[in-house]
């Protein structure tokens, strides 16, 4: 089959790799019809290379049609249309039963002290072959694949794999009171969708902060008050306070993560580590890796006293300096973590109707064949051509 493979830093290619096969009696094989390109994939493209091997298949936002099932699978059958959550989780362990599917005890990657395995996401998360491919082996066929109805286009449902639950969890963790205020840092796919969800859930003021004009315009069209951090200069914090009764927002969602703009020293260190041999680079990142923290520090500065900072962007540093004096003095709450995808299905599926309150049907900016993946990765990283959300069709 064809698949998008990692070959080195800023180097992905579409290669022919072996088709996946059933390995356990509860496995299913899914023929992929659509898979997404995620901001988290850019961390693999740029920073997390020491935890990848050439030929690793990327991607963790799939949907498709069940092609084959193991002999113990009863929940789905060949021909069923399914979305596959990015967490590889059993659905039956104590963590899954408590709604913490990203901490699944069956698939935790204990070698690295990590939570549940993820599709297409490095040795840190199990090195499970990913979904930017023609076929995908999905374990836990009775509990992991999510059946969706035939009829509407894939765009209606594919975001259940990651974007929707990640954004929903970010807003849930932010605990924005009805009629309250939220600032969202970064208006890529997760930040854009988090802003939409916050408005749908009753936030009165949602402020989106992003340096890219096309992204700001896209969110402004949905009723978000948008700010350009560069244009605001040193007055950004005051501008946000002006929009929130002088206090700052009730909560801030950081949808940027480890590769934020405005952190040249950390960026240089990340680049240096990425050029070391894999063994030393892995040891260094696991012991003293540092993220670009400008977005997180801005979130701490922006949020009102007693407010909440919700981290949806991925961080991977082991020695990140945090402004604990400020956080303690402001009495902040901090919530974070990989999305527990299955936890939020009951809240999300009723929103995927023809009324389309979240605008999922028109959410993608680019739909491309799988062969275009190398150019799509470059375009997405450079935020070129208005790229916010890219979907691949094998």
């Amino acid at each position: 089959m064809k698949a998008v493979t990692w070959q080195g830093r800023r180097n992905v290619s579409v290669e022919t790799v072996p088709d996946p096969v059933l390995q356990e009696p509860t496995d299913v094989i899914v023929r992929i019809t659509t898979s997404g390109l995620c901001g988290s994939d850019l961390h693999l493209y740029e920073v997390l290379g020491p935890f990848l091997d050439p030929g690793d298949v990327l991607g963790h936002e799939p949907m498709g049609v069940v092609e084959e099932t193991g002999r113990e699978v009863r929940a789905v059958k060949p021909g069923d249309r399914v979305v596959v959550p990015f967490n590889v989780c059993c659905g039956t362990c104590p963590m899954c039963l408590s709604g913490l599917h990203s901490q699944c005890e069956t698939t935790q990657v204990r070698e690295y002290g990590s939570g549940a395995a993820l599709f297409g996401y490095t040795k840190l998360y199990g090195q499970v072959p990913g979904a930017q491919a023609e076929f995908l082996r999905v374990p836990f066929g009775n509990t992991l694949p999510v059946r969706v109805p035939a009829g509407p286009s894939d765009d209606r449902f594919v975001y259940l794999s990651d974007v929707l639950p990640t954004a929903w969890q970010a807003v849930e963790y932010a605990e924005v009171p009805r009629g309250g205020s939220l600032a969202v840092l970064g208006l890529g796919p997760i930040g854009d969708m988090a802003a939409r969800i916050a408005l749908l859930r009753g936030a009165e003021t949602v402020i989106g902060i992003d340096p890219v004009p096309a992204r700001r315009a896209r969110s402004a069209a949905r009723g978000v008050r948008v700010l350009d951090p560069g244009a605001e200069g040193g007055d950004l914090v005051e501008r946000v306070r002006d929009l929130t009764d002088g206090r700052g927002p009730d909560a801030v969602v950081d949808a940027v993560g480890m590769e934020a703009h405005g952190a040249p020293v950390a960026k240089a260190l990340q680049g240096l580590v990425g050029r070391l041999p894999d063994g030393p680079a892995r040891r260094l990142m696991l012991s003293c890796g540092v993220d670009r923290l400008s977005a997180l520090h801005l979130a701490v500065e922006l949020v009102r006293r007693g407010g909440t900072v919700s981290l949806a962007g991925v961080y991977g540093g082991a020695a990140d300096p945090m402004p604990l004096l400020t956080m303690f003095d402001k009495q902040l709450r901090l919530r974070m973590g990989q999305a527990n995808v299955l936890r939020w299905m009951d809240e999300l599926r009723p929103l995927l109707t023809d009324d389309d309150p979240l605008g999922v049907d028109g959410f993608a900016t680019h739909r491309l064949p799988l062969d275009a993946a190398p150019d799509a990765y470059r375009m997405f990283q450079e935020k070129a051509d208005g790229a916010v959300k890219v979907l691949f069709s094998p």
Side-chain angles (χ1 to χ4, degrees):
M1 68 173 183
K2 292 190 301 184
V4 180
T5 64
W6 185 88
Q7 299 296 335
R9 185 170 179 264
R10 297 189 186 178
N11 182 9
V12 302
S13 64
V14 178
E15 306 290 342
T16 299
V17 303
D19 289 354
V21 297
L22 299 173
Q23 298 178 17
E24 302 291 339
T26 53
D27 287 350
V28 302
I29 303 297
V30 174
R31 175 174 54 82
I32 302 299
T33 54
T34 299
S35 60
L37 173 56
C38 178
S40 298
D41 292 325
L42 295 184
H43 302 321
L44 312 182
Y45 191 64
E46 180 72 20
V47 176
L48 295 176
F51 297 98
L52 290 156
D53 292 328
D56 281 353
V57 179
L58 304 180
H60 58 270
E61 298 185 347
M63 72 172 293
V65 176
V66 175
E67 189 85 357
E68 185 180 2
T69 63
R71 65 179 182 276
E72 294 180 10
V73 175
R74 301 289 181 268
V76 295
K77 63 184 184 304
D80 283 348
R81 192 184 193 197
V82 296
V83 170
V84 182
F86 74 88
N87 317 115
V88 183
C89 57
C90 69
T92 57
C93 72
M95 288 290 99
C96 288
L97 292 174
S98 66
L100 292 171
H101 301 89
S102 66
Q103 309 302 323
C104 174
E105 292 181 347
T106 304
T107 71
Q108 283 177 13
V109 185
R110 291 177 173 81
E111 178 184 358
Y112 289 102
S114 302
L118 309 177
F119 288 105
Y121 217 79
T122 83
K123 294 179 174 72
L124 289 171
Y125 290 98
Q127 208 168 21
V128 181
Q132 290 169 5
E134 294 182 295
F135 296 94
L136 178 70
R137 182 184 75 89
V138 179
F140 310 113
N142 288 314
T143 51
L144 185 55
V146 177
R147 292 178 61 188
V148 296
S153 74
D154 282 7
D155 292 44
R156 179 73 57 89
F157 303 112
V158 66
Y159 304 116
L160 287 171
S161 62
D162 182 353
V163 173
L164 283 168
T166 297
W168 188 274
Q169 179 171 296
V171 176
E172 180 78 16
Y173 282 5
E175 298 181 331
V176 184
R178 190 166 188 84
S181 55
L182 174 72
V184 179
L185 304 183
L187 294 172
I190 302 303
D192 183 349
M193 187 57 74
R196 299 181 188 203
I197 288 169
L199 288 169
L200 182 71
R201 291 177 53 158
E204 181 175 334
T205 302
V206 177
I207 303 164
I209 301 170
D210 196 291
V212 181
R215 295 185 175 194
R216 293 197 305 274
R218 177 179 160 103
S219 288
R222 303 286 307 190
V224 178
R225 301 186 184 188
V226 296
L227 296 175
D228 177 355
E232 300 297 333
D235 297 326
L236 177 62
V237 174
E238 288 305 315
R239 178 70 177 125
V240 171
R241 287 177 180 161
D242 288 344
L243 295 171
T244 53
D245 299 323
R247 315 189 171 85
D250 295 307
V252 177
V253 167
D254 172 2
V256 178
M258 67 171 71
E259 294 186 77
H261 293 282
V265 174
K267 180 178 180 180
L269 289 172
Q270 287 176 342
L272 176 63
V273 172
R275 290 177 175 85
L276 294 173
D278 284 355
R282 285 197 293 267
R283 289 192 292 273
L284 192 61
M285 290 179 73
L286 289 170
S287 61
C288 55
V290 177
D291 294 311
R292 306 179 210 172
L293 295 174
S294 54
L296 178 52
H297 287 187
L298 176 60
V300 169
E301 188 175 6
L302 286 175
V303 71
R304 69 162 171 82
R305 291 179 178 272
T308 302
V309 174
S310 174
L311 304 187
V314 173
Y315 284 94
D320 287 339
M322 293 292 292
L324 287 175
L325 186 153
T326 300
M327 295 167 68
F328 181 85
D329 179 67
K330 292 182 75 171
Q331 202 166 333
L332 303 184
R333 291 183 295 273
L334 186 63
R335 296 292 306 272
M336 68 189 83
Q338 298 281 6
N340 305 297
V341 174
L342 290 175
R343 163 67 179 82
W344 308 113
M345 285 295 152
D346 289 345
E347 286 90 341
L348 288 167
R349 278 190 285 195
L351 301 176
L352 303 182
T353 63
D354 288 342
D355 292 339
D356 195 15
L358 294 174
V360 295
D361 287 347
F363 192 70
T365 54
H366 294 75
R367 295 169 185 79
L368 300 171
L370 202 61
D371 289 335
D375 289 336
Y377 269 78
R378 284 191 292 271
M379 174 183 67
F380 191 35
Q381 187 193 45
E382 295 168 2
K383 301 179 177 65
D385 194 31
V388 176
K389 189 60 187 178
V390 178
L391 297 179
F392 294 123
S393 298

